[in-house]
Amino acid sequence: TQLLEQSPQFLSIQEGENLTVYCNSSSVFSSLQWYRQEPGEGPVLLVTVVTGGEVKKLKRLTFQFGDARKDSSLHITAAQPGDTGLYLCAGEAGSEKLVFGKGTKLTVNP
Amino acid sequence: NAGVTQTPKFQVLKTGQSMTLQCAQDMNHEYMSWYRQDPGMGLRLIHYSVGAGITDQGEVPNGYNVSRSTTEDFPLRLLSAAPSQTSVYFCASSYGRGPGDEQFFGPGTRLTVL
């Protein structure tokens, strides 16, 4: 069973601060996705990374896939209250199933 | 496009009752799946389908049944509800299961079993 460990579990910061969220596994994944979920709603895809060492940027969000394709990180620059939500990573290991981490709950205070 | 729709949005059941959670998508996606989300547990896969007439078990299938008679619909049946099935249930669909395929999630059904 592939497991994805996310850290930290909770993160509360002030508007304007930078933060990094981690997603780690002992398994190799063919791709890894990051989702954001707001209260009362389903997760929404932010990005998919496929190649080891890949870096993708989405405005103030930077996503990186580890060289060995076992880990990933999400860095947010100058966080805003609108970034508040649950951030989930999900990995695909070629079994037609996505494995989700438990999520990082981010609160950005104005 | 409505995307992925789920009904009902909220449901309260008594132990032993049965019910069906409905899920429909209008994007002609082949792949559909059901997840449950519990505090501190993330999303766990219950059942999934790679096309009409084809279903398979996920990580936590016990107590749930599914069928896929059409591309659009993928209902989840609880045969005899138990308090351990209190959770938020999400249905998702995607065009395929390739690395670039985005899963689109419904808004969820919040189920409480007393």
Side-chain angles (χ1 to χ4, degrees), chain A residues 1 9 30-31 33 35 37 39-45 48-50 86 88 92 95-103, chain B residues 9 31 35 37 40-43 45 48 50 57-59 90 97-108 110:
Chain A
T1 302
Q9 188 175 357
S30 57
S31 68
Q33 298 178 330
Y35 290 81
Q37 183 179 19
E41 299 181 7
V44 176
L45 181 68
T48 300
V49 286
V50 179
L86 179 67
L88 296 158
E92 179 178 12
S95 61
E96 296 182 322
K97 304 173 189 176
L98 271 183
V99 175
F100 279 84
K102 295 181 180 181
Chain B
K9 194 165 180 63
Y31 189 93
Y35 294 88
Q37 187 175 36
M41 295 296 293
L43 284 161
L45 183 65
Y48 66 101
V50 299
Q57 296 181 350
E59 180 185 356
F90 289 99
R97 281 313 307 131
D101 287 309
E102 175 182 358
Q103 285 210 81
F104 293 84
F105 284 84
R110 284 144 188 83

Side-chain angles (χ1 to χ4, degrees), chain B residues 19-36:
Chain B
M19 79 160 295
T20 299
L21 279 63
Q22 302 292 343
C23 173
Q25 52 90 11
D26 60 359
M27 298 173 281
N28 201 31
H29 285 169
E30 289 295 324
Y31 189 93
M32 297 185 74
S33 52
W34 276 102
Y35 294 88
R36 59 177 290 173

Side-chain angles (χ1 to χ4, degrees), chain B residues 4 29 38 52 61 70 73 101 110 114:
Chain B
V4 180
H29 285 169
D38 302 294
T70 67
D73 301 298
D101 287 309
R110 284 144 188 83
L114 303 174

Side-chain angles (χ1 to χ4, degrees), chain A:
Chain A
T1 302
Q2 296 98 3
L3 292 175
L4 280 168
E5 300 288 339
Q6 285 191 245
S7 62
Q9 188 175 357
F10 300 96
L11 189 56
S12 181
I13 62 171
Q14 295 299 121
E15 183 176 0
E17 293 184 356
N18 301 332
L19 67 114
T20 301
V21 173
Y22 299 93
C23 177
N24 296 301
S25 176
S26 58
S27 301
V28 175
F29 291 94
S30 57
S31 68
L32 199 138
Q33 298 178 330
W34 284 92
Y35 290 81
R36 182 169 69 203
Q37 183 179 19
E38 299 190 14
E41 299 181 7
V44 176
L45 181 68
L46 295 173
V47 77
T48 300
V49 286
V50 179
T51 306
E54 183 176 4
V55 177
K56 281 191 173 179
K57 292 190 175 182
L58 185 66
K59 297 183 179 179
R60 293 176 293 101
L61 279 63
T62 302
F63 304 85
Q64 186 164 6
F65 200 14
D67 292 339
R69 290 185 287 133
K70 293 183 178 180
D71 56 86
S72 181
S73 63
L74 159 60
H75 182 79
I76 301 178
T77 303
Q80 298 177 1
D83 296 326
T84 293
L86 179 67
Y87 288 82
L88 296 158
C89 65
E92 179 178 12
S95 61
E96 296 182 322
K97 304 173 189 176
L98 271 183
V99 175
F100 279 84
K102 295 181 180 181
T104 293
K105 188 172 183 180
L106 172 65
T107 302
V108 182
N109 302 298

